Amino acid sequence: MSQTPHPTGQLMKLGIAQAVLFVLGALLGRGLGLLLGLDAFGAAGYGNKEIFGILLIGLGGGGGVQLARAWYVRKYGDPKG
C-alpha cells in the first residue's frame, strides 16, 4: 500500500512550522526557567539550577516541534503514510 507523497509546498509548511514553533517553544521554556529562578546561562559552572533551566529550554523546543507536527497531521495527514 503506497501512499502518494505529499507535495513539496505542504512539506515546506511543515518544516517552517516546526522551525518557528521550536524557537518559540525554546524561548517560552527559557522564560519559564527565568521565572522559576532556573537560569540556564547564569553561573560559571553547571549546577542543578542551570541543568533544569537547560531542560526547560529543550522541553519547550521539543514541544513546539511536536505541536507543529500534530497540526500538520491533522490538516494534511501523516507524511510517512
Side-chain angles (χ1 to χ4, degrees):
M1 278 189 232
S2 84
Q3 179 187 15
T4 59
H6 288 216
T8 305
Q10 284 181 355
L11 293 174
M12 183 67 76
K13 288 178 187 178
L14 172 61
I16 291 171
Q18 285 180 328
V20 169
L21 288 179
F22 172 81
V23 171
L24 290 176
L27 289 173
L28 286 173
R30 169 95 168 121
L32 180 61
L34 290 174
L35 285 174
L36 297 174
L38 305 172
D39 189 2
F41 308 109
Y46 289 110
N48 286 338
K49 288 184 177 185
E50 290 79 21
I51 296 296
F52 284 113
I54 293 169
L55 179 68
L56 285 174
I57 293 170
L59 287 173
V65 169
Q66 293 304 314
L67 185 64
R69 176 120 176 119
W71 163 80
Y72 182 87
V73 168
R74 188 173 38 245
K75 186 165 183 167
Y76 298 112
D78 192 0
K80 292 184 179 179

